[in-house]
Amino acid sequence: MLSNLSIENYALIDSLDVSLDSGFTVITGETGAGKSILLGGLSLILGKRADLSTLRDKEKKCIIEADFIIKDYSLRPFFEENDLDYEDQTVIRREILPSGKSRAFINDTPVTLDVLSQLGDRLIDVHSQHQTMRLTENDFQMKLIDALANNKEQLKTYSQLLKAHSKTQKGLQDLLSFQAEATKEQDYNNFLLTELEAAPLKEGVLEELEEQYQQLNNVELIMEELSKGDQLMNDDQIGLISLVTELRSVLSKLNGFGSQYADIYTRIQSVFIELDDINSELQTFQDGVEVNPSLLEEVSAKLQLLYNLQKKHGVSEISELIAIKNALSDKAFETAHVDEKIAIKTRELQELESALEEQALIIREKRNTAIPDLKKQLEQQLSLLGMPNASFKIVVNALDTYKYNGMDDLSFLFTANTGSDYGLLKKVASGGELSRIMLVIKSVMAKYEKLPTIMFDEIDTGVSGEISNRMADIMKEMSQQMQVFSITHLPQVASKGNHHFKVFKFDEGEGTKTNMRKLNNDERVVELAQMLGGKDVSDSALAHARQLLN
């Protein structure tokens, strides 16, 4: 319920702060006093877009804040889904800055207008005559029947099944699309895969082949240079081995004459060992090098194959070719087994459809059971509201399609007069009739499910006398299950409120302001008397007012 509302710098409101209670609250005031301004400010809390022109002082920001007690509304999942801090007493704040920018907060966490609007729909239902067209919507009518039918758990189960059905159906469609695409590309993909599998694909293979190609392609030059190297190493006169051997022999004679000679001998000995090792490797290289045209041709062909594959697939690394080969291999495997997967998914879908249809049948049967009771309640209540011949014809029609709320369509027909044809509400009911029908429907729904705070904005316009009394009684009865507000011009309605607020205008300085305050019992008597007889309050009007209150 709405426990507190504060408004600053909005339209004619300079500063307003009111505490509100449960039960039935009435709001009265002269025409033009600012009741619509109050609703306008409240609508910003509910997610309506802001208008810079509503700022009273264009240099200051507008702040509207509302406190709600929500512990009975089962809203914790909504807060978790939107990453908001849940509090039993939740504070919603809206700010409109002089720059025109708007900000919204739920428990001091910034939120989008969409999130604010979703929460607002769960907290307050603002109902005015022009909003009665919701009554003509099929979804709203079905919601009414489901409330009486106690279909909450069945609809929850149905919704879970429908979600699984949608997911499974999408999975099946994806498999069928994959199958169609794979079949169309199968031959070409198999050709690509075979081509890649025939290539020597492994990490580093390109570098190895390029090195091997360079050696085979330059074998004569390599042989010539290795021969020169061998001659430089082993020539009897000037060969490095002979010269270093002779040098080592000379230094060995000095080896015993001091550590410095011993060190130099050790170093030349190391040089000799290294040269001897190099000489052995050169000999091995010479023995291993040979002209091999067939191997050169083979290596060249492998290189050309890899170069062509890189160009064909638009890649520059062997690792990328390997990745493409693996992907094609996986796709070939998937293609080979897709029929089996389609069969499994099809069976899953059929099982879900059977479960959905079974659940939809339960929902339909409970709806059909609830309709006579709904029809009776609506017609009885409307009879008391001056529509004694009001009659409904409500029929649930089975569908072959899955809707979000079952597999039914609804024919919700109405006539206000005996002997007249039944027709759709939006075509045969007047605005005043729709208002009374909506009031009755809301009162019926309040018995069966937890509704949010409801605010009736002059729903009693155009009625008087005993009908207005009955409308007030209905709203007061509703207030036993929920918080109810009624903005009214009728003293019969105003007198039934548990709490009474008056909206009024006053001049201050060079401007006009709007405010609202709670009336005590004596003030209520005066207010009702003025609503009965005008500004000049007579004794009879006061007596009538006291009688209404009592």
Side-chain angles (χ1 to χ4, degrees), residues 211-219 290 292 295-296 299:
E211 183 180 296
Q212 191 177 8
Y213 176 81
Q214 288 298 325
Q215 292 176 4
L216 290 167
N217 196 45
N218 295 282
V219 65
E290 62 176 341
N292 192 339
L295 182 58
L296 175 61
V299 171

Side-chain angles (χ1 to χ4, degrees), residues 31-82:
T31 300
K35 296 185 295 296
S36 61
I37 294 174
L38 181 69
L39 278 178
L42 188 60
S43 71
L44 293 178
I45 287 292
L46 305 180
K48 183 182 176 183
R49 295 203 169 274
D51 185 352
L52 187 60
S53 65
T54 59
L55 268 64
R56 177 175 177 81
D57 185 339
K58 306 300 183 185
E59 303 299 318
K60 298 179 182 178
K61 67 181 177 181
C62 165
I63 302 175
I64 302 174
E65 190 168 284
D67 294 13
F68 292 89
I69 298 172
I70 63 171
K71 59 183 178 181
D72 296 328
Y73 287 5
S74 303
L75 286 174
R76 193 178 292 273
F78 175 85
F79 279 72
E80 291 173 354
E81 181 183 336
N82 290 283

Side-chain angles (χ1 to χ4, degrees), residues 172-184:
L172 177 59
Q173 189 56 52
D174 289 345
L175 285 172
L176 291 170
S177 299
F178 173 83
Q179 184 187 48
E181 192 69 21
T183 301
K184 187 165 54 177

Side-chain angles (χ1 to χ4, degrees), residues 304-487:
Q304 194 58 50
L305 173 61
L306 292 176
Y307 291 150
N308 289 342
L309 287 173
Q310 285 180 323
K311 183 177 179 181
K312 184 174 189 174
H313 292 279
V315 298
S316 58
E317 301 290 338
I318 293 298
S319 60
E320 293 175 286
L321 286 177
I322 293 172
I324 293 170
K325 183 188 77 170
N326 292 339
L328 287 169
S329 179
D330 291 343
K331 194 166 188 178
F333 180 85
E334 291 289 330
T335 303
H337 294 81
V338 71
D339 287 342
E340 181 183 346
K341 290 185 176 181
I342 287 173
I344 293 171
K345 195 65 74 174
T346 300
R347 283 196 299 273
E348 289 178 8
L349 196 64
Q350 290 170 345
E351 290 169 2
L352 283 167
E353 287 175 351
S354 295
L356 273 169
E357 288 165 14
E358 182 180 342
Q359 198 65 31
L361 180 59
I362 295 171
I363 292 169
R364 183 180 305 129
E365 289 174 347
K366 294 185 73 174
R367 285 170 174 168
N368 282 322
T369 301
I371 284 174
D373 183 37
L374 172 62
K375 175 178 163 66
K376 180 180 177 182
Q377 289 193 58
L378 292 180
E379 290 172 357
Q380 284 180 346
Q381 293 270 37
L382 287 173
S383 178
L384 297 174
L385 292 179
M387 298 172 65
N389 299 315
S391 178
F392 292 88
K393 184 182 288 185
I394 306 170
V395 180
V396 173
N397 304 303
L399 298 175
D400 294 329
T401 54
Y402 305 114
K403 297 172 67 178
Y404 81 95
N405 59 355
M407 297 179 66
D408 298 327
D409 194 11
L410 186 66
S411 175
F412 201 101
L413 304 178
F414 171 77
T415 179
N417 304 300
T418 304
S420 297
D421 293 335
Y422 287 91
L424 295 174
L425 275 173
K426 60 184 175 183
K427 291 186 177 180
V428 300
S430 67
E433 289 170 340
L434 281 175
S435 291
R436 280 177 272 181
I437 294 170
M438 178 62 96
L439 174 61
V440 167
I441 283 176
K442 292 286 186 180
S443 70
V444 171
M445 290 182 73
K447 299 175 186 176
Y448 297 94
E449 64 176 41
K450 185 69 177 178
L451 295 178
T453 293
I454 189 166
M455 181 169 287
F456 292 107
D457 180 18
E458 299 184 358
I459 194 174
D460 47 26
T461 298
V463 299
S464 58
E466 185 54 36
I467 295 175
S468 63
N469 260 322
R470 181 56 194 153
M471 291 183 80
D473 288 337
I474 290 175
M475 287 186 273
K476 192 170 181 88
E477 287 170 14
M478 289 176 67
S479 72
Q480 294 175 17
Q481 282 89 30
M482 59 192 295
Q483 186 184 37
V484 177
F485 290 89
S486 177
I487 296 175

Side-chain angles (χ1 to χ4, degrees), residues 139-157:
D139 287 350
F140 181 84
Q141 296 164 355
M142 194 70 86
K143 185 178 178 182
L144 168 65
I145 293 172
D146 284 327
L148 269 73
N150 193 25
N151 264 334
K152 185 176 181 180
E153 289 303 316
Q154 284 72 28
L155 285 169
K156 182 179 179 181
T157 301

Side-chain angles (χ1 to χ4, degrees), residues 83-147:
D83 197 24
L84 297 169
D85 294 330
Y86 176 85
E87 300 288 347
D88 283 343
Q89 182 157 336
T90 282
V91 179
I92 298 177
R93 187 171 79 257
R94 188 80 185 275
E95 297 179 357
I96 300 110
L97 307 179
S99 63
K101 290 184 178 180
S102 167
R103 298 185 299 188
F105 303 86
I106 297 175
N107 290 332
D108 287 328
T109 300
V111 294
T112 63
L113 284 189
D114 182 54
V115 172
L116 187 64
S117 178
Q118 289 179 48
L119 180 59
D121 287 343
R122 291 163 168 83
L123 296 178
I124 299 186
D125 179 6
V126 178
H127 176 70
S128 57
Q129 278 198 326
H130 73 275
Q131 288 174 311
T132 51
M133 291 311 294
R134 271 199 71 205
L135 176 59
T136 67
E137 297 170 3
N138 191 276
D139 287 350
F140 181 84
Q141 296 164 355
M142 194 70 86
K143 185 178 178 182
L144 168 65
I145 293 172
D146 284 327

